[in-house]
Amino acid sequence: MTEPMVLEPPSDAELMVRVREGDRQAFAELVDRHKDAVVSYLTRLSGDRDRAEDLGQETFLRLFRAAREYGEQGYLRAYLFRIATNLLRSEERRERRWRLLAPFLHPGRAHDEPAAALRLLRREAHGQVTEAVANLPLRYRVPLVLHEIEGWTYQDIAQELGCREGTVKSRVHRGRKQLKEKLEPYWNGGAAWKTIG
Amino acid sequence: MEDHRIGDLLRELPRERARAGFTPRVLERLDSRGTGRPALSWRPAAVLAAMALAVAIPIGIRYEQHERSEREAERILHELRAEHGRLEQELQEISEPVLYLGGDEDVDLVLDLSRVPEAGQAAPAAYHDDKL
């Protein structure tokens, strides 16, 4: 008895070929495959869950429209992250012009039970970190998130951002330093400590 | 706070997941833009509305100011005309010539020539009665 054939799911490259021909099913499959990564990345960059959802959807729409120009280089997710970063950058530029402030994530309050205290503290800490990251300049924020959270190498980030590896290292270092300055008072119980929500 | 702690804090952040219905919503947006029905973004409309207001409000204010100036000018002109009319009337009333004889700060001596009798009726000032 022969073993049933296990079909390998189509690769990103194969799906993109079909998307270029207008295959919506292939496109939906790509969206399903990468949506969590894109939304998570955008949430880290923006500090705003709702905004990340909206920009995430727009990211995939741009991918669809740019399908003809897309040149397969083996890493669609990097391409998606680049689109997402550019979308966020454009939006932040517009907001600076209109003097709008981006909302921050505010963790909800847990009810007062001893077992929930630890969860509350953890969510408080996450909120502080998220807010601090969202306030970093974008040129530090992007490489820091890609390296520390998404796990990209300096080489990959440099290739993606079109700069030298040394520049990436420098920006990650400065981003880390600025975060430390913002978070240290909170962590060490200094005067700048504050709660959110 | 040690440097490596920053990386740890970042990696401890929970991974987010796209909400339920994400993919159908993407396809819906694709359809609404692809079928010639452009998805109405509120931003361009808001920008246009703001620009229209930015132009219309100063124009409206300037028009209101112009109207107010016009009304003010008309009022002043009306008052000037009324004053002129009063002056004209007073001048008319002074129909006969008067002769100012002098005076001080309290009294002015004025000879109203309209009350002076005809020359033949009045004796000249220098006439002396021979009978004296």
Side-chain angles (χ1 to χ4, degrees):
Chain A
M1 187 169 139
T2 55
E3 292 207 6
M5 269 177 58
V6 176
L7 288 173
E8 288 284 331
S11 67
D12 287 348
E14 286 164 351
L15 287 173
M16 278 305 289
V17 168
R18 287 161 54 187
V19 169
R20 230 175 272 141
E21 292 161 6
D23 186 342
R24 287 164 54 90
Q25 186 54 44
F27 176 62
E29 211 168 315
L30 276 175
V31 174
D32 276 336
R33 196 177 282 185
H34 296 286
K35 64 186 180 189
D36 291 342
V38 169
V39 168
S40 185
Y41 173 66
L42 280 166
T43 304
R44 291 298 139 242
L45 275 193
S46 68
D48 185 332
R49 184 68 180 79
D50 293 330
R51 200 177 180 196
E53 254 324 283
D54 184 59
L55 288 175
Q57 291 176 27
E58 188 61 34
T59 298
F60 286 103
L61 290 174
R62 297 279 174 107
L63 174 72
F64 186 87
R65 271 186 246 132
R68 286 185 197 279
E69 287 84 34
Y70 174 72
E72 179 57 44
Q73 291 176 2
Y75 201 32
L76 180 65
R77 188 162 291 182
Y79 187 71
L80 284 167
F81 278 16
R82 192 193 312 159
I83 297 174
T85 308
N86 287 338
L87 279 172
L88 182 66
R89 184 181 288 118
S90 299
E91 201 169 91
E92 287 190 352
R93 272 201 204 118
R94 269 198 301 273
E95 284 174 357
R96 274 200 295 276
R97 282 199 289 271
W98 286 90
R99 298 171 189 255
L100 291 175
L101 299 174
F104 302 120
L105 270 178
H106 292 282
R109 288 281 184 200
H111 46 84
D112 289 330
E113 285 182 9
L118 191 59
R119 281 200 300 279
L120 175 61
L121 280 171
R122 191 175 296 127
R123 284 162 77 181
E124 178 87 6
H126 289 165
Q128 288 288 342
V129 174
T130 302
E131 183 180 344
V133 170
N135 277 332
L136 287 176
L138 206 57
R139 66 181 178 282
Y140 301 150
R141 210 188 316 162
V142 170
L144 185 70
V145 168
L146 285 174
H147 182 66
E148 298 287 3
I149 299 178
E150 300 298 331
W152 288 27
T153 64
Y154 289 126
Q155 189 184 9
D156 286 342
I157 298 171
Q159 191 177 358
E160 187 51 39
L161 298 182
C163 61
R164 292 182 303 174
E165 212 173 301
T167 307
V168 174
K169 284 181 187 171
S170 166
R171 288 181 186 176
V172 169
H173 171 73
R174 287 188 191 191
R176 224 186 259 137
K177 186 164 177 271
Q178 286 195 12
L179 268 190
K180 191 177 163 186
E181 282 164 13
K182 284 179 208 286
L183 293 172
E184 198 143 41
Y186 170 75
W187 238 260
N188 296 337
W193 184 89
K194 63 179 175 70
T195 51
I196 51 177
Chain B
M1 182 187 251
E2 300 83 8
D3 279 346
H4 70 84
R5 185 78 184 111
I6 294 293
D8 293 342
L9 285 171
L10 291 171
R11 282 184 287 276
E12 281 169 13
L13 291 173
R15 300 287 296 182
E16 298 290 340
R17 297 176 64 87
R19 289 185 183 134
F22 182 92
T23 303
R25 278 196 295 277
V26 172
L27 294 174
E28 267 173 38
R29 282 168 82 155
L30 186 64
D31 285 339
S32 69
R33 292 184 196 185
T35 56
R37 288 183 287 118
L40 276 177
S41 167
W42 62 270
R43 285 191 196 278
V47 168
L48 280 173
M51 284 171 63
L53 273 174
V55 170
I57 286 174
I59 287 176
I61 290 171
R62 275 200 287 276
Y63 179 75
E64 178 61 30
Q65 285 172 344
H66 175 73
E67 286 287 291
R68 216 177 297 138
S69 301
E70 285 273 322
R71 284 196 295 271
E72 185 67 13
E74 270 186 35
R75 186 186 65 79
I76 292 170
L77 190 60
H78 180 73
E79 282 180 8
L80 282 171
R81 283 177 181 155
E83 182 69 16
H84 184 256
R86 280 194 293 274
L87 288 170
E88 281 280 342
Q89 194 174 354
E90 283 179 20
L91 283 171
Q92 284 290 330
E93 285 169 4
I94 307 174
S95 53
E96 297 293 333
V98 294
L99 187 63
Y100 180 70
L101 298 176
D104 55 24
E105 57 192 24
D106 295 319
V107 177
D108 285 322
L109 289 175
V110 174
L111 178 64
D112 183 355
L113 295 175
S114 65
R115 297 187 179 197
V116 174
E118 292 293 328
Q121 297 171 8
Y127 179 77
H128 295 289
D129 191 353
D130 289 336
K131 295 178 182 177
L132 287 175

